[in-house]
Amino acid sequence: MGDTTNDPQARSARRRGTSRRKFVAVLAGLLASSPAIAAKRPRAIETASSRNSTPAASAKAAGPELPPRPDFSSEEQQSAQIPGFPGVRFWASSEEDYARAVPPQPGPWLVLSTGAEDGAYGAGFLNGWSASGERPDFSVVTGVSSGAIIAVYAFAGPKYDALLRQAYTTVSAVDIFELRVMPESFADSWPLAQMIERHVTGELISDIAAEHRRGRRLFVLTTNLDAGRAVAWDMGAIAATGGDAALALFRKIVLASSSVPGALPPVLIEAESNGRRFQEMHVDGGVNGPMYIAPESILLSTNGRRLPASELYVIVNGKLTSEFARTEQRLTHILGRSFSLALKLGARAELFLVAQAARRDGIAMKVAMVDQAFDRQERGLFDPEYMKALFDLGVEHGKRGEFRL
């Protein structure tokens, strides 16, 4: 069984007297380290606390230590199912499970990357794409982290474009997290959980279930920290089960896919194996990569294994290339800049791997991304004006069908 992350920063942050500035410094690195491909401006990170002065964004003391979770074994984890929802997930690295989960006939795929607030670009692109009349009816939609939230709306269809716009142009940091040092994290995600509850409605779930019955598939990625592996959730299968339990599980998975480890609390999901129940710990799907198309063994295969898509459309929520930024000798600047550079390299490497596989299989691949000319500066995390500008850029790119690759 994989060990959960033992973050020394998290341990030190539990001490009484942790200042807001120390918290924001660590948050800068954590937020940059998983969902954000684009560089997070150091000034934006530093001013997050000063701009978010409402009660939902004020730092509070850590709560009491959490009780230990019941122990379980690697063998139990391997065979675990979600009570009442058999077969709704698979290891993202498993070729066998992947082959069973994807549609039998190739079709166009939409792949949505991580990106935090930069997800506003992808939301805008889909709105513009719908307006152009050229948006395909995707057979498969995948999403990781912020891309998971977009994927839910994208899969349900253009009917939800207005809600997608609202989700990325009317929020600020206070709608995402509360600065509150906790045993599991440096912030509380209850505002994000409430936002997901408002947006992921019974009607949305019913529409997703209907598309699933048509043979389309929606996959959202989380990271199972206990197993140390990425999990792909068949969200349409969950929706098709129906009922309050399905709605609750659906929302919980979307929250888990966006829960940056250390910054936001992990999401515990009840599982069962051999009649014994336990709680798995799930965090941001971006821990295992910025996007999901297929197991790496398929991407690297030289034995005739092919990607089960006719076309691949990838929306990268951010920039892929680095630009000059003078780095000051301060923790927030150094952390943010370093993580950003590493993640851009990782995203480029992932895209290169996917492009090679698509070329091998004769599959057309197109990639949309934020271009270098976009130079709007953030004034804080989840700055509404910055997100609106990114959304508008995405709309223009979507209307023109502007893909970079």
Side-chain angles (χ1 to χ4, degrees):
M1 180 175 67
D3 293 329
T4 55
T5 302
N6 188 17
D7 189 345
Q9 291 176 327
R11 292 198 306 270
S12 65
R14 294 192 188 107
R15 294 176 302 179
R16 295 186 59 177
T18 299
S19 69
R20 175 176 297 190
R21 181 166 294 277
K22 287 182 180 178
F23 165 77
V24 174
V26 176
L27 182 63
L30 290 169
L31 288 178
S33 69
S34 183
I37 293 175
K40 297 299 165 207
R41 309 294 196 273
R43 183 178 300 276
I45 300 294
E46 285 189 335
T47 59
S49 60
S50 63
R51 290 186 56 81
N52 296 299
S53 57
T54 66
S58 59
K60 297 182 180 179
E65 289 293 325
L66 299 173
R69 288 186 296 150
D71 197 12
F72 57 97
S73 68
S74 175
E75 290 74 19
E76 287 174 316
Q77 175 68 94
Q78 186 63 30
S79 61
Q81 296 284 344
I82 306 302
F85 297 90
V88 299
R89 64 181 187 168
F90 59 93
W91 297 119
S93 59
S94 170
E95 286 191 33
E96 183 178 352
D97 292 343
Y98 177 82
R100 284 196 297 263
V102 298
Q105 298 299 321
W109 283 37
L110 175 64
V111 178
L112 295 150
S113 84
T114 59
E117 61 263 53
D118 289 351
Y121 173 77
F125 193 98
L126 287 168
N127 270 260
W129 211 355
S130 296
S132 74
E134 300 296 326
R135 177 171 158 180
D137 185 23
F138 300 105
S139 64
V140 173
V141 178
T142 75
V144 181
S145 194
S146 184
I149 297 173
I150 304 171
V152 168
Y153 289 112
F155 184 80
K159 167 185 174 180
Y160 288 93
D161 282 356
L163 287 177
L164 187 56
R165 175 192 295 267
Q166 180 183 350
Y168 278 92
T169 61
T170 63
V171 301
S172 63
V174 297
D175 301 299
I176 307 300
F177 60 87
E178 175 190 14
L179 298 186
R180 177 188 177 198
V181 179
M182 302 169 68
E184 300 172 301
S185 63
F186 294 104
D188 196 335
S189 59
W190 69 262
L192 177 59
Q194 287 192 352
M195 186 178 76
I196 290 171
E197 185 174 345
R198 291 194 303 270
H199 286 274
V200 178
T201 64
E203 180 182 1
L204 175 61
I205 291 292
S206 295
D207 288 342
I208 289 173
E211 294 302 313
H212 178 81
R213 294 186 185 102
R214 288 180 52 209
R216 301 175 64 223
R217 294 294 179 264
L218 168 62
F219 299 129
V220 164
L221 274 286
T222 65
T223 298
N224 181 326
L225 279 184
D226 300 302
R229 301 175 69 180
V231 178
W233 297 85
D234 188 339
M235 304 298 279
I238 295 171
T241 303
D244 292 341
L247 181 58
L249 178 61
F250 195 104
R251 289 168 172 168
K252 184 173 284 192
I253 293 164
V254 174
L255 177 63
S257 186
S258 301
S259 295
V260 183
L264 298 178
V267 175
L268 300 181
I269 298 178
E270 187 172 78
E272 184 177 38
S273 177
N274 299 320
R276 183 170 178 269
R277 295 196 177 190
F278 49 88
Q279 293 175 317
E280 300 172 347
M281 183 177 288
H282 289 257
V283 298
D284 196 304
V287 169
N288 276 281
M291 63 196 73
Y292 182 69
I293 292 92
E296 289 183 0
S297 56
I298 292 179
L299 298 178
L300 294 167
S301 174
T302 58
N303 298 323
R305 288 169 290 184
R306 297 173 52 84
L307 295 174
S310 58
E311 301 93 33
L312 281 175
Y313 296 91
V314 180
I315 297 180
V316 177
N317 292 304
K319 297 180 181 179
L320 283 176
T321 54
S322 302
E323 50 197 3
F324 177 81
R326 182 181 175 275
T327 306
E328 296 187 22
Q329 292 175 283
R330 300 176 66 180
L331 178 61
T332 52
H333 291 246
I334 295 168
L335 278 177
R337 181 65 168 169
S338 300
F339 280 123
S340 174
L341 294 174
L343 285 166
K344 287 177 186 291
L345 175 60
R348 293 196 300 271
E350 181 81 9
L351 277 176
F352 177 78
L353 185 62
V354 174
Q356 289 291 96
R359 187 176 299 112
R360 175 199 68 199
D361 297 340
I363 298 171
M365 177 178 170
K366 297 182 178 181
V367 180
M369 68 189 76
V370 179
D371 54 45
Q372 288 300 108
F374 181 80
D375 58 1
R376 182 64 175 260
Q377 299 292 310
E378 288 180 273
R379 297 185 301 167
L381 291 170
F382 296 93
D383 171 19
E385 293 183 11
Y386 170 81
M387 294 173 70
K388 179 63 165 56
L390 261 184
F391 181 90
D392 291 342
L393 176 68
V395 169
E396 291 305 311
H397 284 187
K399 285 180 177 178
R400 297 194 299 263
E402 187 170 323
F403 294 94
R404 298 292 171 179
L405 298 176

